[in-house]
């Protein structure tokens, strides 16, 4: 069990498979990209599967989310999913992706055992997409979403970040589109995870702003609290149902008290929080032939030291030194 001093138990593992990405989103990384991790520093496929196996069989992890960077860039992704689907007990597995490349991989991922996907899409306008991501790939993302739905990787969740002056007027249109296409839309407050440290709290589109905009067109009824559990998104029933929309208010209404996550970076470091400034090295233990019991002990000790909160609600918050692409969202 991965328990901390506040009584929280981590059962949800986020695994970053690569720090690389084929977009250059303005809220994540600079246009020229970043200095990528050297290949020897990355966990191998075998090392990833071994760590997930330890998490599932020895530490009580029940859900595994593959992230990046962009996880579809990982050459061995389908094989990793297939091997993890064979674990006992079998974890529920999902993938967070920008959707580029999903059209050609959705069916194979489903066959390998992936349960569902989260796809990042911030706008319905191709020109705004190009401004936000610095790439002209809007059509590819829409096709990837459709392929995921057709393959049965459901519910297909769409993650959206609203940026002032770019797409902050699109919330009602995005929700109407999601309802029409049977996607579950989730708005995420912009978080301080950009490599260039340009994030500013002032002017950020808040959860309150998003809900106010949505209510100009839709009736939103809050989902019962017990339905949320440890999920980060507060959800609302749209126009009486059955569709729902979520808002993840990471900055204005942090959900740290119910956090059930542990994170593994692409180079084998345990992070107790997306915004943690400390990491615990598991790669060194793997490569020094430590037994599974020792790796599990190191992991437990790391999670025992998890802090009470992310610190995002503190105006003096300092951004993590590693950008989101290296940590895994």
């Amino acid at each position: 069990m991965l328990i901390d001093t506040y009584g929280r138990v981590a059962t949800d593992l986020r695994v970053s498979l690569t720090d690389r990405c084929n977009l250059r989103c303005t809220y994540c990384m600079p246009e020229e990209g970043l200095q990528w991790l050297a290949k020897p520093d990355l966990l191998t496929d075998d090392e990833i599967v071994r760590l997930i196996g330890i998490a599932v069989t020895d530490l009580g992890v029940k859900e595994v989310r593959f992230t990046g960077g962009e996880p579809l860039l990982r050459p061995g992704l389908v094989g990793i999913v297939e091997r993890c689907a064979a674990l006992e007990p079998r974890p529920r597995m999902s993938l967070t992706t920008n959707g580029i490349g999903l059209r050609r991989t959705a069916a194979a991922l489903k066959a390998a055992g992936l349960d569902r996907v989260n796809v990042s899409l911030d706008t319905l306008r191709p020109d705004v997409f190009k401004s936000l991501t610095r790439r002209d790939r809007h059509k590819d993302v829409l096709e990837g979403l459709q392929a995921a739905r057709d393959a049965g990787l459901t519910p297909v969740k769409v993650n959206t970040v609203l940026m002032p002056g770019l797409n902050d007027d699109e919330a009602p249109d995005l929700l109407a589109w999601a309802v029409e296409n049977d996607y579950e839309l989730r708005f995420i407050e912009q978080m301080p995870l950009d490599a260039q440290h340009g994030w500013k709290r002032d002017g950020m589109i808040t959860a309150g702003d998003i809900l106010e905009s949505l209510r100009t067109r839709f009736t939103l009824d809050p989902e019962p609290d017990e339905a949320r559990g440890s999920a980060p998104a507060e959800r609302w029933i749209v126009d009486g149902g059955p569709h729902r929309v979520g808002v993840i208010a990471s900055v204005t209404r942090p959900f740290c008290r119910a956090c059930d996550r542990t994170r593994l970076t692409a180079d084998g470091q345990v992070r107790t929080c997306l915004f943690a400034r400390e990491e615990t090295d598991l790669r060194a233990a793997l490569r020094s032939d430590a037994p599974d019991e020792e790796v599990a002990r190191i992991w437990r000790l790391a999670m025992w030291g998890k802090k009470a909160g992310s610190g995002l609600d503190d105006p003096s918050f300092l951004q993590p030194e590693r950008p989101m692409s290296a940590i895994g969202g």
Side-chain angles (χ1 to χ4, degrees):
M1 181 182 294
L2 292 171
I3 190 170
D4 64 34
T5 55
Y6 299 92
R8 296 169 297 192
V9 178
T11 58
D12 185 334
L13 170 61
R14 305 298 170 98
V15 182
S16 174
L17 298 180
T18 178
D19 59 330
R20 296 173 183 264
C21 188
N22 43 12
L23 296 180
R24 296 292 180 270
C25 297
T26 56
Y27 52 77
C28 182
M29 68 172 71
E31 186 171 6
E32 65 274 14
L34 300 167
Q35 183 174 348
W36 308 122
L37 292 167
K39 188 172 181 179
D41 293 335
L42 293 170
L43 293 175
T44 66
D45 293 0
D46 288 344
E47 288 170 338
I48 290 170
V49 173
R50 182 183 173 195
L51 286 174
I52 293 174
I54 292 170
V56 169
T57 60
D58 298 339
L59 297 173
V61 163
K62 299 176 180 177
E63 298 199 23
V64 176
R65 172 83 61 85
F66 298 106
T67 71
E70 173 45 52
L72 294 182
L73 296 180
R74 178 87 187 199
L77 172 60
V78 172
I80 290 171
V81 170
E82 187 172 32
R83 292 168 68 184
C84 290
L87 292 171
E88 292 291 343
R90 181 195 185 282
R92 182 165 175 80
M93 293 182 292
S94 58
L95 177 87
T96 294
T97 172
N98 62 29
I100 296 173
L102 193 54
R103 180 174 60 86
R104 66 176 181 272
T105 56
L109 287 168
K110 178 64 177 179
L114 192 71
D115 294 297
R116 63 170 192 83
V117 294
N118 285 29
V119 179
S120 299
L121 180 65
D122 300 324
T123 178
L124 298 176
R125 305 167 185 164
D127 59 323
V128 176
F129 181 91
K130 188 174 181 179
S131 295
L132 279 167
T133 67
R134 305 184 179 104
R135 298 290 187 271
D136 189 12
R137 306 296 297 272
H138 189 256
K139 181 174 179 288
D140 295 318
V141 179
L142 294 180
E143 290 178 348
L145 277 161
Q146 182 176 333
R149 185 187 61 201
D150 293 346
L153 293 170
T154 55
V156 176
K157 296 184 179 181
V158 177
N159 295 339
T160 296
V161 176
L162 297 181
M163 301 285 288
L166 283 172
N167 62 340
D168 52 345
D169 61 336
E170 286 197 67
D173 290 340
L174 281 159
L175 181 53
W177 165 81
V179 167
E180 179 182 355
N181 289 278
D182 201 26
Y183 303 139
E184 184 176 323
L185 182 63
R186 307 194 313 170
F187 292 97
I188 304 175
E189 287 182 338
Q190 184 196 1
M191 294 180 284
L193 291 168
D194 56 312
Q196 58 270 39
H197 290 193
W199 178 84
K200 290 181 174 59
R201 186 180 298 267
D202 295 340
M204 182 190 72
I205 308 299
T206 67
D209 297 330
I210 295 165
L211 292 170
E212 182 180 356
S213 177
L214 292 176
R215 286 184 171 121
T216 63
R217 196 183 305 181
F218 301 93
T219 299
L220 303 179
D221 297 311
E223 195 175 56
D225 288 343
E226 58 269 21
R228 181 180 182 185
S230 60
E234 297 177 78
R235 299 204 306 175
W236 281 263
I237 301 167
V238 180
D239 289 344
H243 293 94
R244 284 160 170 74
V245 62
V247 179
I248 300 178
S250 305
V251 178
T252 60
R253 295 200 290 270
F255 41 86
C256 303
R257 188 174 298 178
C259 181
D260 65 347
R261 297 178 183 179
T262 183
R263 297 176 181 275
L264 186 64
T265 68
D267 54 350
Q269 311 299 306
V270 169
R271 292 181 69 93
T272 60
C273 173
L274 188 59
F275 301 97
R277 300 184 70 82
E278 303 86 21
E279 298 176 336
T280 300
D281 188 5
L282 294 184
R283 185 187 64 197
L286 293 181
R287 295 182 181 179
S288 62
D289 296 325
D292 288 359
E293 293 79 8
E294 174 62 12
V295 176
R297 185 194 69 80
I298 296 170
W299 205 331
R300 286 192 192 97
L301 187 61
M303 294 304 296
W304 183 250
K306 184 173 182 174
K307 295 181 179 179
S310 65
L312 279 174
D313 50 351
D314 182 351
S316 63
F317 171 80
L318 295 174
Q319 292 168 292
E321 295 181 4
R322 293 224 273 177
M324 181 163 58
S325 62
I327 298 169

